Amino acid sequence: METAHAAVTTRLSDYQPPAYLVDSVNLDVDIRDGVTTVTSELALRRNPEAAVSDTMSFNGEGLVIRSLALDGKVLEEGEYRYENGELLLSGLPEQATLISVVDIEPEKNTALEGLYMSNGMYCTQCEAQGFRHITFFPDRPDVLSRFCTTVRADKKRYPLLLSNGNPVEQGEEGERHWVTWEDPFPKPCYLFALVAGNLACLEDSFVTASGREVALRLYAEHRDLDKLDHAMASLKHAMRWDEQTYGREYDLDIYMIVAVSHFNMGAMENKGLNIFNTSCVLAHPATTTDAGFQRVESVVAHEYFHNWSGNRVTCRDWFQLSLKEGFTVFRDQMFSADMNSAAVQRVNDVDFLVNHQFPEDQGPMAHPVRPAEYQKIDNFYTLTIYEKGAEIVRMQYHLLGAESFRKATDLYFDRFDGQAVTCDDFVDCMEEVSGMDMGQFRRWYSQAGTPILSVTSEQSGDTYSLTFRQQTPPTPGQSDKQPLVIPVRLALLDKAGEPVALDDTGLRETVLILREQEQTFQFPVGQTVTPSLLRGFSAPVVLEFDYRADQLATLLAHDTDGYCRWSAAQRLYFAALDRLVTGHGKAEDEALKLAPVLEQVIERAGEDAAQAALLLTLPTEVALGDRHTPLDPSAIHAAHQQLKRALGRALQAQWLSLSENLLATELQMDGVAMGRRQLRNLALDYLAAGEHKEAARIAVELFELPLCMTEELGALRVLVHHRLPGAELALKQFAEKWKEEALVMDQWFSVQASVPGETTVESVAALLEHPAFDWKVPNRVRSVLGALAGNPSAFNTDEGYALFTRALATVDALNPQIAARIGNAAARLHKLESGRQRAFRTLLQGVNDKASPNLSEVLSRILGSR
């Protein structure tokens, strides 16, 4: 057996290519109750790119060695060393064959890394470093191998045996059977997948642009077969889109997706056999919200797009993770924009980035898109890697233009097909095709933090000037920041909200490229204008411009850019809320000032109901709190509740009209219908916040006779969050109706854990004791602890901190990856006012003293912040 080992810091600067490559892997996975035996045959070849060495290390954690053989010779214990999660072999020739036979216990694997069980089926998760829990292998992305996998199991209990590639052979052995899968494409071991179970299958096919027919198979538990149609349609749309937009065809004869209940992530792009969290593949109007439908479409596309941006071309090392994830997020965002409302999609993407990634980038967990070091790579599957990484790709798309960007990606895919490469290789292709010098732009990959772009304006005669100053605040480990390349798309609007000409050619929109710390641009404009800045959110920066209220009203009412309209609404809301937090305003007065421009938004709601819902939604308490240091969550909560109540009353006629008039008589699942439901739920929420007497009646009626889960859950949330008559009965009815639907019950838990107010802590404690709560199911854990962490008025109490830290320790003992991700909720520790900070810090330190390496890396960074 191996010895225990602690976390070790891995640094990008220490990268060395592996001493040996693995040309091929033959795996035999023999699944039996209590123990699974894995036989692995590795064809080793000395790496010509590495320093000459006859020593090679193989990762392997929790493996019980049955035998090891090198070139047919059985190795005795003194001929190898196995400790600290590594098998070390010396005296290797130029080429060699290593055969290992090991035992593992997937039934006891609560960390859900490697091979484990989920609802009676065996499945795998190998990214980032899960393959080492299955067998010995150089578990790193720059070792690409051809895999041939044989899976053996009881044929009655596990009739379905899947792995990567194409099935090439199968047979029976009494009550057992086996299937051999061959993947013709070299891949890193993190893309390995295996499934053994009794599952239902939805089958279809797709004909590629070149005329090949690809079999499509989506698997789920038998009871969920009717929830796979949307995922199948989304997959076919994604396949066609990738052919048309990037010229990329699928390359195998079969594409499979398996829905798994126990999964740490959203989904995984394993070559030809994607393994998905059920929440990202199952969808039915009766059990899935509209947002859930959109998420399934996005995630299915994301994992499919990885076939090229991640599988055919993968990352050399885990520091380059955004090479595949940032690029693929950008691709799935563009796909979703083409499938739905582009304006709404962009605002949703920016809203998520600004309110989730920006705080990460501005706090103790800040790190570059290409980190310099890590202890546990699992902790770097962050919003910075994914969402900010996507924005960096988007900037390159706009700098080059659509046509040149496509040429650059063609070059990238063709040049590096079958290779493991770096972020620099990607940018090199952009540079080569465009002829641009991208040297300064590369700082986006290595420099952490969110740039602050301060803008001032001046009108002098017939000239209008804008001066831009960029500054990136210090982040952990990076005190000195260099100027970045920042593209700023802008227009100037006249009093009527129309864009004016910016030059003699009549140009009415332009992109300014900032490279210096301070730059001034002049325009021949002699009238009063409102600058529409950062249109389309052309760069991931914090924009500071001293807009007047009338200018924001102009942008919100007239701007054609969806992001700028949304940003103007947010600025108006934040200004009002800030005055309430600091005691310089009254909620009723603030609501009356906002009402006229919000009435204009409501009047235009018929143009795009989903966009109207976004514009009418207040910033969250978390987002408001991020603007105030030291953070007093009680004051934030009070201000937020006051303004919401005042707006509910000031516009009650409009909210009532929307609540009643947007009611549909038949179910439709298109974007227009989804937008109407979103706006109706928002209107009902405002109506209840304003304590309108009709709110409870409408919510109960909607709850009792819903057309779909969006209506049913929206009504339940209004009843519970506003503590309306009928709330307790609705909760009981909902649980009884949906007790067999795990994903729906996750929503039931989440609705209760997210109720604003201190008393929710007691409710959360009860939920953790509920018979349906399971500490081993990540989705269920997130539905309660994730909701509590996003509920600042409950979370930021002595009781909330105590409950959270106790629960965090419990999760850590079972699943360190999930514990580390939940632990990130404490990242605002340094912003809290002193009393709360001391109390929370003490509790976190107690957890950290006994934490896993995953959780300890997160908590140590948080506790080290001041």
Side-chain angles (χ1 to χ4, degrees):
M1 284 290 290
E2 62 167 322
T3 58
H5 60 285
V8 175
T9 298
T10 302
R11 295 180 175 83
L12 173 59
S13 59
D14 294 336
Y15 171 82
Q16 295 291 332
Y20 283 77
L21 301 175
V22 182
D23 289 329
S24 64
V25 185
N26 284 309
L27 284 181
D28 187 293
V29 183
D30 189 3
I31 297 173
R32 299 176 186 269
D33 288 343
V35 64
T36 291
T37 300
V38 181
T39 302
S40 168
E41 181 180 324
L42 310 183
L44 305 175
R45 173 172 54 88
R46 184 167 287 161
N47 185 1
E49 303 298 322
V52 176
S53 172
D54 66 354
T55 300
M56 181 68 179
S57 66
F58 302 84
N59 303 103
E61 296 188 8
L63 311 179
V64 178
I65 298 175
R66 281 196 176 190
S67 66
L68 292 172
L70 186 65
D71 288 335
K73 178 183 179 299
V74 176
L75 300 179
E76 303 298 329
E77 284 196 17
E79 296 178 286
Y80 63 86
R81 191 171 73 203
Y82 180 34
E83 60 184 15
N84 297 330
E86 281 191 313
L87 172 69
L88 198 65
L89 297 179
S90 298
L92 296 176
E94 289 283 333
Q95 293 184 326
T97 299
L98 174 66
I99 298 178
S100 65
V101 182
V102 302
D103 287 342
I104 56 177
E105 298 178 298
E107 295 86 353
K108 296 180 180 179
N109 183 358
T110 62
L112 312 184
E113 293 181 272
L115 181 66
Y116 64 92
M117 287 202 78
S118 173
N119 284 4
M121 72 169 164
Y122 290 88
C123 55
T124 55
Q125 171 55 29
C126 293
E127 188 176 357
Q129 297 176 336
F131 194 71
R132 64 188 60 187
H133 297 278
I134 296 175
T135 190
F136 290 112
F137 199 82
D139 191 354
R140 45 190 291 168
D142 57 353
V143 176
L144 279 67
S145 312
R146 287 183 170 83
F147 278 70
C148 182
T149 305
T150 299
V151 189
R152 306 174 190 274
D154 183 283
K155 63 185 177 184
K156 186 175 182 180
R157 294 164 61 193
Y158 309 106
L160 184 72
L161 304 177
L162 306 177
S163 192
N164 310 86
N166 301 312
V168 294
E169 198 173 1
Q170 61 185 356
E172 297 187 2
E173 301 167 340
E175 296 183 350
R176 297 171 61 76
H177 68 140
W178 56 271
V179 179
T180 298
W181 293 79
E182 194 171 85
D183 188 349
F185 296 97
K187 65 173 181 285
C189 65
Y190 80 83
L191 291 172
F192 173 78
L194 179 154
V195 171
N198 184 359
L199 300 172
C201 178
L202 176 65
E203 295 191 65
D204 205 332
S205 63
F206 178 83
V207 178
T208 68
S210 64
R212 286 191 311 108
E213 184 170 335
V214 178
L216 306 179
R217 296 176 188 168
L218 275 58
Y219 296 94
E221 294 182 28
H222 291 272
R223 60 195 301 278
D224 293 324
L225 183 61
D226 64 340
K227 302 182 182 74
L228 293 173
D229 292 330
H230 178 61
M232 181 66 81
S234 299
L235 174 59
K236 295 171 77 171
H237 290 152
M239 296 178 81
R240 185 65 67 211
W241 186 90
D242 209 21
E243 289 182 344
Q244 295 171 348
T245 309
Y246 284 89
R248 299 295 122 186
E249 277 195 16
Y250 184 63
D251 48 13
L252 290 171
D253 299 329
I254 184 171
Y255 189 91
M256 300 172 285
I257 294 176
V258 178
V260 175
S261 299
H262 299 68
F263 205 68
N264 288 339
M265 299 182 178
M268 178 61 208
E269 71 268 21
N270 326 89
K271 182 70 179 182
L273 175 58
N274 290 184
I275 297 181
F276 272 51
N277 188 315
T278 50
S279 66
C280 295
V281 66
L282 303 181
H284 188 282
T287 56
T288 310
T289 63
D290 294 341
F293 267 80
Q294 291 167 343
R295 186 179 185 221
V296 167
E297 179 182 65
S298 172
V299 176
V300 167
H302 180 97
E303 304 308 333
Y304 174 74
F305 296 153
H306 264 315
N307 187 63
W308 276 92
S309 52
N311 296 3
R312 289 285 291 259
V313 182
T314 192
C315 46
R316 185 196 71 179
D317 52 72
W318 290 121
F319 298 99
Q320 320 295 330
L321 180 58
S322 193
L323 174 74
K324 73 182 186 76
E325 295 300 349
F327 185 22
T328 305
V329 169
F330 168 74
R331 274 153 54 75
D332 83 55
Q333 288 177 350
M334 297 291 277
F335 165 78
S336 294
D338 284 349
M339 295 296 107
N340 305 287
S341 164
V344 171
Q345 180 65 37
R346 187 56 183 147
V347 170
N348 280 328
D349 293 338
V350 175
D351 187 15
F352 188 77
L353 180 86
V354 169
N355 289 312
H356 294 86
Q357 191 278 324
F358 276 18
E360 177 177 279
D361 221 7
Q362 297 162 356
M365 303 309 295
H367 62 85
V369 167
R370 182 178 53 210
E373 64 181 37
Y374 61 79
Q375 291 180 7
K376 300 292 290 184
I377 185 56
D378 310 311
N379 291 337
F380 280 84
Y381 281 74
T382 62
L383 299 176
T384 297
I385 297 293
Y386 282 70
E387 308 302 325
K388 185 177 181 179
E391 294 301 316
I392 292 175
V393 174
R394 185 181 294 270
M395 285 189 287
Q396 293 174 78
Y397 173 86
H398 287 298
L399 284 171
L400 269 69
E403 184 177 345
S404 291
F405 183 82
R406 167 64 191 274
K407 290 179 180 177
T409 57
D410 284 348
L411 175 62
Y412 170 74
F413 288 131
D414 294 342
R415 175 176 291 173
F416 299 116
D417 189 10
Q419 298 182 47
V421 298
T422 68
C423 295
D424 282 326
D425 291 319
F426 182 82
V427 181
D428 283 347
C429 292
M430 302 289 146
E431 194 169 52
E432 185 172 330
V433 166
S434 68
M436 295 181 184
D437 181 353
M438 303 290 283
Q440 184 182 359
F441 184 87
R442 295 172 197 262
R443 292 175 185 167
W444 279 104
Y445 286 97
S446 59
Q447 189 163 285
T450 306
I452 298 172
L453 189 62
S454 302
V455 187
T456 56
S457 64
E458 182 181 355
Q459 185 77 53
S460 178
D462 291 336
T463 301
Y464 181 79
S465 301
L466 287 170
T467 297
F468 297 83
R469 298 176 182 86
Q470 61 165 297
Q471 177 220 349
T472 304
T475 55
Q478 284 189 345
S479 56
D480 296 325
K481 305 291 185 177
Q482 300 299 310
L484 298 165
V485 175
I486 300 177
V488 178
R489 188 152 62 96
L490 66 82
L492 302 177
L493 309 185
D494 62 20
K495 291 181 178 180
E498 293 295 321
V500 304
L502 302 176
D503 59 21
D504 295 338
T505 68
L507 182 72
R508 297 179 187 275
E509 182 184 80
T510 190
V511 178
L512 308 178
I513 307 299
L514 311 183
R515 297 182 181 275
E516 308 298 328
Q517 211 140 28
E518 180 175 324
Q519 287 176 257
T520 298
F521 298 85
Q522 296 181 334
F523 305 93
V525 175
Q527 58 180 297
T528 300
V529 291
T530 296
S532 174
L533 298 170
L534 215 64
R535 290 165 71 83
F537 198 66
S538 56
V541 301
V542 172
L543 177 67
E544 293 184 346
F545 183 82
D546 190 16
Y547 280 107
R548 300 189 310 272
D550 64 299
Q551 290 180 309
L552 292 173
T554 296
L555 291 169
L556 180 54
H558 302 294
D559 203 340
T560 57
D561 185 84
Y563 161 73
C564 287
R565 290 189 72 198
W566 174 80
S567 178
Q570 294 290 293
R571 288 172 184 272
L572 287 168
Y573 293 138
F574 276 130
L577 288 164
D578 287 344
R579 287 190 287 269
L580 296 180
V581 171
T582 57
H584 293 95
K586 293 183 178 180
E588 293 73 17
D589 296 339
E590 298 296 343
L592 288 174
K593 285 188 286 187
L594 287 167
V597 71
L598 297 187
E599 286 175 345
Q600 290 183 317
V601 173
I602 293 171
E603 288 171 5
R604 290 180 57 186
E607 299 172 12
D608 189 335
Q611 186 176 38
L614 290 173
L615 298 176
L616 293 166
T617 300
L618 284 178
T620 65
E621 287 186 32
V622 175
L624 178 59
D626 284 339
R627 296 167 60 87
H628 295 269
T629 304
L631 171 59
D632 181 354
S634 298
I636 298 294
H637 176 61
H640 197 272
Q641 294 290 95
Q642 290 165 14
L643 184 58
K644 192 172 185 179
R645 184 185 303 114
L647 286 174
R649 291 173 176 172
L651 296 169
Q652 63 178 0
Q654 287 87 342
W655 303 134
L656 181 60
S657 175
L658 290 171
S659 297
E660 293 180 329
N661 296 336
L662 288 176
L663 180 64
T665 56
E666 61 181 36
L667 177 64
Q668 293 179 308
M669 295 303 294
D670 58 76
V672 172
M674 288 182 176
R676 288 169 64 88
R677 286 192 288 269
Q678 184 181 357
L679 182 57
R680 185 168 193 262
N681 281 345
L682 178 68
L684 182 56
D685 186 51
Y686 270 119
L687 201 65
E691 299 172 337
H692 194 285
K693 61 182 180 180
E694 291 295 297
R697 176 188 63 81
I698 295 172
V700 169
E701 289 179 358
L702 188 63
F703 177 78
E704 292 179 344
L705 294 171
L707 285 176
C708 59
M709 180 51 65
T710 297
E711 292 186 348
E712 186 172 357
L713 190 65
L716 180 68
R717 182 175 287 109
V718 166
L719 288 168
V720 174
H721 280 216
H722 295 283
R723 297 176 171 85
L724 299 178
E728 289 302 318
L729 178 60
L731 280 170
K732 291 179 182 178
Q733 291 175 336
F734 191 92
E736 180 60 29
K737 179 180 179 181
W738 298 113
K739 60 186 178 183
E740 301 301 324
E741 295 284 347
L743 296 178
V744 180
M745 286 301 292
D746 287 340
Q747 300 278 15
W748 181 82
F749 277 94
S750 184
V751 162
Q752 297 172 80
S754 58
V755 175
E758 296 183 8
T759 58
T760 295
V761 179
E762 186 177 340
S763 300
V764 170
L767 291 173
L768 295 176
E769 298 295 328
H770 193 280
F773 184 81
D774 190 340
W775 291 98
K776 296 180 182 179
V777 180
N779 287 351
R780 190 56 48 85
V781 172
R782 283 186 284 252
S783 73
V784 178
L785 296 183
L788 173 64
N791 182 3
S793 58
F795 181 75
N796 290 295
T797 61
D798 289 342
E799 296 79 7
Y801 295 149
L803 178 64
F804 176 78
T805 49
R806 287 197 306 271
L808 191 60
T810 300
V811 176
D812 194 37
L814 296 168
N815 191 326
Q817 273 194 38
I818 296 300
R821 288 175 189 150
I822 292 173
N824 276 291
R828 291 176 174 84
L829 175 70
H830 66 291
K831 290 178 64 68
L832 294 170
E833 51 87 15
S834 58
R836 282 187 170 89
Q837 186 174 149
R838 282 194 301 272
F840 198 14
R841 184 178 292 276
T842 299
L843 291 168
L844 289 171
Q845 187 60 62
V847 175
N848 195 39
D849 289 343
K850 300 177 181 179
S852 67
N854 286 74
L855 181 57
S856 182
E857 181 178 19
V858 170
L859 293 185
S860 294
R861 294 182 67 176
I862 291 171
L863 290 166
S865 64
R866 295 288 177 179

